[in-house]
C-alpha cells in the first residue's frame, strides 16, 4: 500500500518547474502512431503513470518506443503490427480512446477496448462515434470493445452536440488522413486541443482553427515523423498556484504559459491573492486578507473542471461563503466528503457545493478518490493542523510527476510511504 504523509502548517516558498501537459501528452502519444514514415521525437512528456500505460500500449501495437532522456520519447510507428488495442492498460485509462481515431485514420480500422479513467461521471463517447460515422466509418461495440472500419473516410461537416475535448481530438485525428475537407463545429478550445493540432501539423497535416469554435481539416495522404515539444501543464500549474495561496506562501511557478492560466489567476486575484505574470512564469503570493468567491466550471477559457477540486480545498479555509458549481462532470464532488472529515463546512446539493470558510482544517486519514481529488487532499494536508495521511495515491501518480518532491522543495513536510 502506498500513501502520502503530510505534516501541515508549512508556508510554501521558492520556485517550481511545471511539467509537460498530461492531457496533451496522452493524445499526442496515440497520434504518433499515425506517422507511416520516420520517427517522432517528443519532448516535455510528463513522467506519469498514464504516459507509462500509453508507452506499453504503443509497444503492444508494434511501435518502437525509446526513452531518449527523462522527458523525451522517440516513437517509430513505421511497422505497426496490430490494430487491436485490447490490454489491461487500455481499459485502465481514459485517453486510450485516442487509439480509435488514430488507428482509424491510418489503417481505416481499429479495435479498442472501452476506456476507464477517473470515476467523475458517466463519460459517454457518443460524440466520438457520431464523428467517426459522419466520416464514413462503421462503428460497433462488441464484448466491451469499440470496432471501427471504413473503406474510405471522406471529409464532411460535423457539429458536436456537446463541447467535448475527447471527441474534438479523436475526430480531428480520424479526419486528418480522410479524403477532402472536414469542418468541425462547436469544438473544445482547450490548450491541449491546440497542441495536438500543432503536433499533427508538424507531421504534415493541414489543420486550421484549433483554439476557436471551428476547426478546418484538409485531409492529407500521409504523415511523417517530426520533433515536437508538449506544452506546459495548465492543471499542474493551477494546483501549485492554489497551494501557494492556501499556505499563504510566495511561489514562482515556472515553465508555464500565463495565458492558459488566466481563469485561475483571475479567481485567485478576486479572492485577494497577488499574481505577477512573467513571460513563462507566474509568481503567486498573499498579502492581506483573502475572501470567499463563487466558482463555476466551464470549457476553456472558463474555469477548468480539473482545478475545481484543488480550488474547493482553498475555499474551505478562506473567510466567508463560497459557492462551487460543477457544470462538466456530475460526480466530481467526492473530495468534499473527505474535506468534511478534516473539519470543512460544506453542503453539497447536486452539482453545487456551498462552502462556509472555517478557521482551520485538522489532519486525519483521507482518500484520493480520483486524480484531482488527490491533489485537493494534498493541499488540505499542507494547510491542516497536525498530520494527514492520503491513501489510494495511485490516482495522484496518474497525473502529477514527483508530487512530494516538488512540494518538499517548496518547504512542505510531505513524504511517501510504500508498505
Ligand atoms: C478531458 O476528458 C480530460 N481528460 C479531463 O481531465 C477533463 O476533465 C475533461 O476533458 C474536461 O475538460 C483527458 O484529456 C484525458 P469531455 P474528456 O469529452 O475528453 C460530455 C483530468 O483530471 N460528453 O470534454 O473525457 C461528458 O459527459 C481529467 O485530467 C458527452 O456527452 O471530457 C462531459 O459532461 C479528468 N459525449 C462533457 O461532455 C461524448 O461523446 C465534457 O467531456 C463526450 C463527452
Amino acid at each position: 500500500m502506498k500513501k502520502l504523509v503530510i505534516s501541515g502548517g508549512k508556508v510554501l516558498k521558492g520556485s517550481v518547474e511545471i511539467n509537460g501537459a498530461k492531457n496533451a501528452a496522452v493524445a499526442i502519444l496515440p497520434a504518433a502512431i499515425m506517422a507511416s514514415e520516420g520517427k517522432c521525437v517528443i519532448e516535455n512528456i510528463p513522467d506519469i503513470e498514464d504516459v507509462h500505460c500509453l508507452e506499453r500500449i504503443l509497444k503492444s501495437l508494434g511501435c518502437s518506443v525509446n526513452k531518449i532522456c527523462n522527458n523525451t520519447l522517440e516513437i517509430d510507428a513505421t511497422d505497426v503490427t496490430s490494430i487491436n488495442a485490447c490490454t489491461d492498460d487500455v481499459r485502465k485509462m481514459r485517453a486510450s480512446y485516442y487509439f480509435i481515431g488514430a488507428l482509424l485514420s491510418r489503417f481505416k480500422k481499429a479495435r479498442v477496448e472501452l476506456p476507464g479513467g477517473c470515476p467523475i461521471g458517466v463519460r459517454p463517447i457518443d460524440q466520438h462515434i457520431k464523428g467517426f460515422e459522419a466520416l464514413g466509418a462503421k462503428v460497433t461495440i462488441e464484448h466491451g470493445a469499440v470496432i471501427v472500419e471504413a473503406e474510405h473516410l471522406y471529409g464532411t461537416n460535423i457539429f458536436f452536440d456537446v463541447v467535448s475535448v475527447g471527441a474534438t481530438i479523436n475526430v480531428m485525428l480520424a479526419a486528418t488522413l480522410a479524403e477532402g475537407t472536414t469542418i468541425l463545429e462547436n469544438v473544445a478550445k482547450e490548450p491541449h486541443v491546440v497542441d495536438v493540432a500543432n503536433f499533427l501539423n508538424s507531421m504534415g497535416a493541414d489543420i486550421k482553427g484549433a483554439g476557436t469554435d471551428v476547426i478546418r481539416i484538409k485531409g492529407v495522404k500521409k504523415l511523417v515523423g517530426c520533433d515536437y515539444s508538449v506544452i506546459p501543464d495548465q492543471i499542474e500549474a493551477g494546483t501549485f498556484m492554489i497551494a501557494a495561496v492556501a499556505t499563504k506562501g510566495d511561489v514562482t511557478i515556472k515553465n508555464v504559459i500565463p495565458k492558459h492560466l488566466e481563469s485561475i489567476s483571475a479567481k485567485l486575484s478576486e479572492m485577494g491573492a497577488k499574481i505577477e505574470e512573467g513571460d513563462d512564469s507566474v509568481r503567486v503570493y498573499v498579502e492581506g486578507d483573502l475572501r470567499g468567491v463563487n466558482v463555476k466550471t466551464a470549457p476553456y477559457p472558463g474555469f477548468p473542471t480539473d482545478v475545481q477540486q484543488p480550488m474547493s480545498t482553498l475555499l474551505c479555509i478562506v473567510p466567508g461563503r463560497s459557492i462551487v458549481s460543477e457544470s462538466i462532470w456530475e460526480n466530481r464532488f467526492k473530495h468534499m466528503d473527505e474535506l468534511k472529515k478534516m473539519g470543512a463546512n460544506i453542503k453539497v446539493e447536486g452539482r453545487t457545493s456551498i462552502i462556509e470558510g472555517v478557521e482551520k482544517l485538522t489532519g486525519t486519514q483521507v482518500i484520493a478518490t480520483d486524480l484531482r481529488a488527490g491533489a485537493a487532499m494534498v493541499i488540505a494536508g499542507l494547510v491542516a493542523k497536525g498530520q494527514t495521511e492520503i491513501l489510494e495515491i495511485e490516482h495522484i501518480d496518474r497525473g502529477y510527476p514527483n508530487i512530494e518532491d516538488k512540494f518538499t522543495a517548496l518547504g512542505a513536510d510531505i513524504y511517501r510511504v510504500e508498505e
Side-chain angles (χ1 to χ4, degrees):
M1 191 186 62
K2 293 193 280 190
K3 62 184 178 188
L4 286 173
V5 182
I6 308 174
S7 294
K10 301 279 189 289
V11 175
L12 299 186
K13 280 197 167 32
S15 64
V16 59
E17 287 274 341
I18 295 306
N19 279 78
K22 162 186 165 280
N23 287 342
V26 298
I28 284 174
L29 292 180
I33 209 166
M34 291 163 62
S36 46
E37 277 173 30
K39 295 172 180 171
C40 289
V41 176
I42 309 167
E43 294 172 15
N44 210 25
I45 300 258
D47 191 11
I48 51 176
E49 193 42 40
D50 272 10
V51 162
H52 303 157
C53 271
L54 288 169
E55 286 175 44
R56 290 191 292 267
I57 299 170
L58 282 166
K59 284 180 188 166
S60 76
L61 297 173
C63 297
S64 103
V65 182
N66 292 314
K67 200 167 194 159
I68 296 193
C69 64
N70 246 355
N71 298 103
T72 304
L73 287 179
E74 182 191 73
I75 300 167
D76 187 343
T78 319
D79 298 319
V80 169
T81 50
S82 167
I83 49 91
N84 270 305
C86 293
T87 61
D88 280 347
D89 287 316
V90 178
R91 286 183 286 272
K92 222 160 49 185
M93 63 178 306
R94 193 76 199 152
S96 55
Y97 60 24
Y98 291 131
F99 281 105
I100 310 174
L103 289 166
L104 175 65
S105 200
R106 177 169 166 198
F107 298 102
K108 306 293 172 273
K109 56 183 176 181
R111 184 172 186 278
V112 179
E113 293 267 357
L114 282 163
C118 281
I120 52 180
V122 180
R123 311 194 82 174
I125 57 164
D126 57 296
Q127 296 303 303
H128 305 232
I129 293 173
K130 168 178 155 162
F132 299 144
E133 287 179 338
L135 291 169
K138 181 170 168 258
V139 184
T140 48
I141 297 183
E142 278 175 24
H143 308 295
V146 182
I147 301 162
V148 283
E149 304 177 70
E151 280 286 314
H152 296 280
L153 295 173
Y154 294 107
T156 185
N157 286 22
I158 301 167
F159 193 102
F160 290 108
D161 301 332
V162 293
V163 176
S164 158
V165 170
T168 302
I169 293 177
N170 228 343
V171 179
M172 183 166 74
L173 297 180
T176 293
L177 293 166
E179 288 171 39
T181 299
T182 300
I183 297 179
L184 304 180
E185 292 187 70
N186 198 26
V187 293
K189 294 178 278 199
E190 268 66 5
H192 33 288
V193 173
V194 180
D195 208 34
V196 178
N198 288 341
F199 172 66
L200 291 168
N201 283 340
S202 302
M203 289 200 291
D206 186 347
I207 301 173
K208 294 196 172 79
T212 73
D213 289 314
V214 183
I215 300 179
R216 285 184 173 71
I217 305 158
K218 238 189 224 168
V220 294
K221 290 239 171 331
K222 67 168 185 193
L223 297 182
V224 296
C226 68
D227 291 356
Y228 197 75
S229 181
V230 176
I231 52 163
D233 197 309
Q234 171 206 21
I235 310 302
E236 191 196 13
T239 304
F240 278 94
M241 291 168 79
I242 291 167
V245 178
T247 62
K248 296 212 162 65
D250 185 345
V251 178
T252 300
I253 292 129
K254 294 184 170 171
N255 182 33
V256 295
I257 298 173
K259 174 106 192 102
H260 293 168
L261 302 171
E262 272 175 354
S263 62
I264 305 165
S265 299
K267 226 7 113 179
L268 293 174
S269 299
E270 191 184 326
M271 291 174 72
K274 306 283 180 225
I275 313 282
E276 283 173 16
E277 285 184 5
D279 287 343
D280 60 356
S281 65
V282 283
R283 177 182 168 210
V284 182
Y285 60 103
V286 177
E287 255 174 21
D289 294 334
L290 297 173
R291 54 191 165 274
V293 291
N294 297 338
V295 175
K296 185 172 174 101
T297 64
Y300 189 84
F303 192 90
T305 170
D306 298 345
V307 182
Q308 175 264 110
Q309 291 157 299
M311 188 66 166
S312 306
T313 301
L314 169 58
L315 297 176
C316 287
I317 49 152
V318 297
R321 172 178 290 189
S322 300
I323 298 176
V324 179
S325 313
E326 173 53 62
S327 59
I328 311 287
W329 300 113
E330 65 276 18
N331 199 9
R332 213 169 196 184
F333 277 158
K334 286 192 196 145
H335 61 297
M336 299 292 187
D337 287 335
E338 302 303 304
L339 288 168
K340 283 192 216 170
K341 291 183 195 162
M342 301 177 75
N345 181 353
I346 306 169
K347 198 163 145 212
V348 177
E349 285 175 2
R351 287 182 174 209
T352 303
S353 288
I354 301 152
I355 303 177
E356 301 286 352
V358 294
E359 230 164 69
K360 63 173 188 319
L361 297 178
T362 50
T364 185
Q365 193 174 72
V366 289
I367 295 170
T369 52
D370 59 72
L371 166 59
R372 310 298 173 190
M377 290 308 120
V378 170
I379 297 173
L382 293 173
V383 296
K385 196 167 166 21
Q387 198 174 72
T388 300
E389 280 189 11
I390 307 174
L391 309 183
E392 299 187 21
I393 58 169
E394 45 293 342
H395 286 296
I396 302 177
D397 293 338
R398 284 193 31 231
Y400 290 92
N402 327 314
I403 194 162
E404 66 273 28
D405 296 347
K406 288 189 176 184
F407 277 117
T408 302
L410 293 172
D413 184 344
I414 174 171
Y415 60 91
R416 178 180 291 252
V417 177
E418 305 214 15
E419 284 164 2

